[in-house]
C-alpha cells in the first residue's frame, strides 16, 4: 500500500505543477488543462512501449502469410464446433500451438501490442482516486467544470458539457478500435472476426454507460487518451502501409531485374554465326551462280558438253 500512496502523491505533485503553470492563463479551469497535460506526459513516457508495439505489429504482419497457411491447415468453423466438438478443440489447439511456435521462432511477442494499455491502467485508477480524494489535492473539490459543475462531479450530474464529453469518449473508442480491426482483419479467422465485430460495438456502449458514474476529470483524461491514441495509430498504420508498399515495389523490381524472369519460354536462342550475317540460299555467290544452271546430274540443260579435239 505504501507504493500506492507514493503513486498518488506523485500524481498529485504533477497535477499541481501543471496547474501552477497554466493558472495565469486559465484561472480556475487550469485543473482541466493540468489533466490534459498530465495525459500528454503519460503518453510521452510510454512512447518506447508504443514503438515496441509498432515493431511487434510489423513483425506479425510479415508472418501473416505463414499464419494464414496454418489457419487453413487446421481450419475450423461453427459447424465443426457443433458436429464434432472434440475435433474442433483439437484443431484449435494445434493451430494455436503452431502459431505460437512461429512467433517464438521469429522472436515475436503478440503481447507487446497490449503493453501501452496495461501500463496506463495504474495511472487511470490513480487519477480516479486522486479526483475522489479530499486529502491529496483539496482544491480539486471545488475545481470548476463548465457549466456549473466540478471535476469531481459524476458525468450524470455535470450538465450538457459532461454528456457531450461522454458521447465523445464513446465515439473515439469506436474509431480507434475500428482502426485496429481493419489492420487485424487479414490475420484473424472467421470466429475471431465475429468476436472483434461484437467488441467493436459493445465496448463503446459499455464504456459510455459506465462513464455516467465516473468523475468528469476522469472523462477528460479518457477522451484525451483516445484522441492521442487515434493519432498515434494513424501514424503507425500509415508507416506500416508505406513499408508494405516499399517491400512490394522492391520485390517487383527484383523480379524485373532477374533475366530468368523476363526470358520467354517459347523463344529460341539465335545460332552463333561469329557476328556475320548468315547467307541466304538465294544469294548470288560464285559457287551458287555456277551451280545454279546445272541440273541434278551436274550437266547443263542444253545437253552434254562437246569435247574439242
Amino acid at each position: 500500500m505504501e507504493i500506492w500512496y507514493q503513486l498518488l502523491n506523485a500524481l498529485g505533485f504533477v497535477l499541481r505543477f501543471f496547474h501552477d503553470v497554466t493558472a495565469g492563463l486559465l484561472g480556475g479551469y487550469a485543473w482541466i488543462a493540468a489533466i490534459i497535460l498530465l495525459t500528454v506526459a503519460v503518453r510521452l513516457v510510454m512512447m518506447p512501449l508504443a514503438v515496441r508495439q509498432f515493431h511487434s505489429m510489423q513483425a506479425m504482419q510479415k508472418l501473416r502469410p505463414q499464419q494464414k497457411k496454418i489457419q487453413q491447415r487446421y481450419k475450423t468453423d461453427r459447424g465443426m464446433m457443433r458436429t464434432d466438438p472434440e475435433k474442433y478443440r483439437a484443431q484449435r489447439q494445434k493451430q494455436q500451438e503452431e502459431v505460437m511456435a512461429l512467433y517464438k521462432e521469429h522472436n515475436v511477442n503478440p503481447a507487446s501490442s497490449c503493453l501501452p494499455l496495461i501500463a496506463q491502467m495504474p495511472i487511470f485508477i490513480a487519477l480516479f482516486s486522486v479526483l475522489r480524494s479530499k486529502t491529496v489535492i483539496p482544491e480539486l473539490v471545488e475545481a470548476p467544470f463548465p457549466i456549473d459543475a466540478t471535476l469531481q462531479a459524476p458525468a450524470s450530474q455535470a450538465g450538457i458539457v459532461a454528456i457531450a464529453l461522454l458521447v465523445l469518449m464513446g465515439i473515439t473508442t469506436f474509431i480507434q478500435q475500428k482502426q485496429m480491426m481493419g489492420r487485424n482483419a487479414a490475420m484473424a479467422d472467421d470466429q475471431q472476426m465475429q468476436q472483434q465485430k461484437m467488441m467493436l460495438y459493445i465496448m463503446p456502449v459499455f464504456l459510455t454507460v459506465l462513464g455516467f458514474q465516473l468523475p468528469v476529470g476522469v472523462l477528460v483524461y479518457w477522451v484525451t487518451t483516445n484522441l492521442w491514441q487515434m493519432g498515434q495509430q494513424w501514424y503507425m498504420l500509415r508507416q506500416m502501409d508505406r513499408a508494405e508498399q516499399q517491400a512490394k515495389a522492391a520485390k517487383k523490381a527484383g523480379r524485373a531485374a532477374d533475366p530468368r524472369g523476363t526470358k520467354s519460354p517459347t523463344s529460341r536462342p539465335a545460332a552463333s554465326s561469329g557476328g556475320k550475317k548468315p547467307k541466304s540460299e538465294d544469294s548470288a555467290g560464285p559457287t551458287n551462280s555456277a551451280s545454279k544452271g546445272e541440273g541434278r546430274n551436274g550437266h547443263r540443260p542444253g545437253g552434254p558438253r562437246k569435247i574439242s579435239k
Side-chain angles (χ1 to χ4, degrees):
M1 294 298 293
E2 184 67 23
I3 298 177
W4 177 248
Y5 288 125
Q6 290 178 359
L7 177 61
L8 294 182
N9 291 329
L11 196 63
F13 174 81
V14 175
L15 278 173
R16 192 179 294 278
F17 170 78
F18 285 134
H19 171 268
D20 294 342
V21 170
T22 58
L25 295 175
L26 301 176
Y29 293 118
W31 288 111
I32 299 177
I35 295 175
I36 295 174
L37 292 175
L38 171 69
T39 308
V40 174
V42 169
R43 301 303 303 190
L44 289 175
V45 170
M46 291 193 301
M47 188 60 68
L49 295 179
V51 174
R52 186 175 178 181
Q53 177 190 29
F54 172 67
H55 290 313
S56 177
M57 290 176 62
Q58 279 188 317
M60 292 179 65
Q61 186 176 4
K62 291 179 181 179
L63 297 178
R64 185 182 302 172
Q66 300 180 49
Q67 183 177 353
K68 293 292 288 184
K69 289 181 181 179
I70 294 174
Q71 292 174 352
Q72 290 296 326
R73 191 183 309 143
Y74 302 102
K75 191 173 182 180
T76 58
D77 53 27
R78 289 182 174 273
M80 182 187 295
M81 183 172 60
R82 291 191 297 266
T83 58
D84 195 348
E86 293 184 1
K87 182 179 179 180
Y88 174 83
R89 287 192 294 268
Q91 292 281 88
R92 293 287 296 180
Q93 182 178 357
K94 192 65 177 177
Q95 182 185 122
Q96 293 173 2
E97 289 176 356
E98 292 208 12
V99 169
M100 294 307 297
L102 179 67
Y103 289 158
K104 185 177 181 180
E105 178 183 355
H106 293 83
N107 196 23
V108 176
N109 185 9
S112 298
S113 59
C114 303
L115 289 178
L117 178 62
I118 296 174
Q120 73 173 343
M121 286 305 296
I123 305 297
F124 176 81
I125 299 173
L127 179 62
F128 178 82
S129 300
V130 169
L131 291 173
R132 296 291 298 269
S133 174
K134 297 181 180 179
T135 58
V136 179
I137 303 179
E139 298 94 318
L140 283 177
V141 177
E142 300 297 334
F145 181 84
I147 307 169
D148 297 331
T150 64
L151 286 174
Q152 288 189 341
S156 59
Q157 302 175 10
I160 188 64
V161 178
I163 299 300
L165 194 65
L166 192 60
V167 173
L168 182 60
M169 184 194 71
I171 293 174
T172 52
T173 301
F174 175 84
I175 293 175
Q176 65 170 319
Q177 284 189 330
K178 186 72 172 178
Q179 285 177 322
M180 295 307 299
M181 181 177 172
R183 173 58 57 178
N184 296 331
M187 293 188 293
D189 55 23
D190 294 338
Q191 184 177 359
Q192 290 173 339
M193 281 301 302
Q194 291 179 359
Q195 293 175 355
Q196 290 182 11
K197 287 180 179 180
M198 290 178 60
M199 294 300 296
L200 177 65
Y201 296 100
I202 293 176
M203 185 60 69
V205 175
F206 172 76
L207 294 178
T208 302
V209 173
L210 178 65
F212 273 98
Q213 303 303 321
L214 294 177
V216 178
V218 174
L219 295 183
V220 174
Y221 175 85
W222 205 328
V223 171
T224 307
T225 298
N226 284 355
L227 293 174
W228 179 283
Q229 186 71 11
M230 284 169 52
Q232 181 176 281
Q233 287 182 169
W234 174 83
Y235 176 78
M236 290 168 58
L237 296 177
R238 185 181 180 186
Q239 292 297 107
M240 291 181 67
D241 291 337
R242 184 176 300 175
E244 268 189 357
Q245 293 174 1
Q246 291 176 351
K248 290 179 180 179
K251 189 175 181 181
K252 187 176 181 181
R255 288 179 178 176
D258 188 357
R260 292 173 298 178
T262 57
K263 183 178 178 181
S264 174
T266 58
S267 62
R268 296 180 179 178
S272 175
S273 59
K276 297 180 181 180
K277 183 177 180 181
K279 293 183 179 181
S280 173
E281 294 180 357
D282 296 334
S283 59
T287 305
N288 292 341
S289 62
S291 60
K292 188 173 182 180
E294 298 176 358
R296 295 182 179 179
N297 55 2
H299 299 289
R300 293 180 180 274
R305 297 177 66 181
K306 294 182 180 182
I307 301 176
S308 59
K309 294 181 180 181

